[in-house]
Amino acid sequence: MHIRSLLLVPALALSGQLLASPALLVFGASHHSGCDTRKYRCEFESFNPGAGVEWGWDQSLLAGGMPLVRAGVYRDSYDETAAFMAAGWRRTWPLGGRWEVGLVVLAGYLHGSGIDGFAALPLATLGYGPLALELGYIPKGQVGSMQGDVAVTTVNLRWAF
């Protein structure tokens, strides 16, 4: 019992840096551009409801940025259920008061949205206190076989606890 107590001391000392900060993700919209209507059926759903969770660590741990992991489920642009797990990095800069801007880079596994495998997504963020608006952009490229080349802009909210 005494040894277990001694092992607990370093764990508690490090816990401030190692404990993750949770956040709720709310997905909601996407915009599709550049689809060639002469070659493809360009009918995409723009309302993409869903939810997810994020765990992020202190911004000083990794090159001035915050390592993070995310998982979520949403209704994709093909009107089907999509799920993902990703790891990433966030860097934020204060604008004044409680406002901040940031960049996020995510990479992981996506099942849905015409993909069943590796996917990456860069995000730009604008936050006020615990709430942040996140804009993602995937440039025009082959995304699935049903509807052809298209660029996608995504919009979601992150609420940090």
Side-chain angles (χ1 to χ4, degrees):
M1 186 71 154
H2 182 65
I3 294 174
R4 287 186 199 169
S5 298
L6 290 176
L7 293 174
L8 202 60
V9 172
L12 289 174
L14 291 172
S15 66
Q17 289 283 39
L18 297 179
L19 284 179
S21 301
L24 174 66
L25 306 170
V26 179
F27 308 116
S30 62
H31 175 73
H32 306 83
S33 57
C35 187
D36 186 350
T37 57
R38 295 170 299 170
K39 292 170 51 177
Y40 302 105
R41 190 188 77 195
C42 300
E43 298 170 10
F44 299 101
E45 292 293 324
S46 296
F47 179 59
N48 310 108
V53 291
E54 174 186 287
W55 293 270
W57 287 268
D58 188 290
Q59 188 156 284
S60 65
L61 287 178
L62 182 63
M66 171 187 281
L68 57 95
V69 293
R70 285 184 170 189
V73 176
Y74 61 96
R75 200 74 181 156
D76 70 15
S77 299
Y78 299 119
D79 200 25
E80 297 176 359
T81 300
F84 72 92
M85 293 184 304
W89 175 84
R90 173 185 299 110
R91 176 73 166 117
T92 59
W93 296 272
L95 289 177
R98 297 182 66 190
W99 289 96
E100 68 181 16
V101 295
L103 295 173
V104 179
V105 177
L106 296 171
Y109 175 76
L110 172 61
H111 178 73
S113 298
I115 298 172
D116 188 17
F118 177 79
L121 179 65
L123 300 163
T125 66
L126 175 63
Y128 182 80
L131 186 63
L133 175 69
E134 298 184 330
L135 299 173
Y137 181 72
I138 303 167
K140 189 174 180 178
Q142 186 67 33
V143 181
S145 59
M146 287 179 24
Q147 299 175 339
D149 295 337
V150 63
V152 181
T153 304
T154 66
V155 179
N156 66 278
L157 294 173
R158 179 178 44 85
W159 183 271
F161 298 106

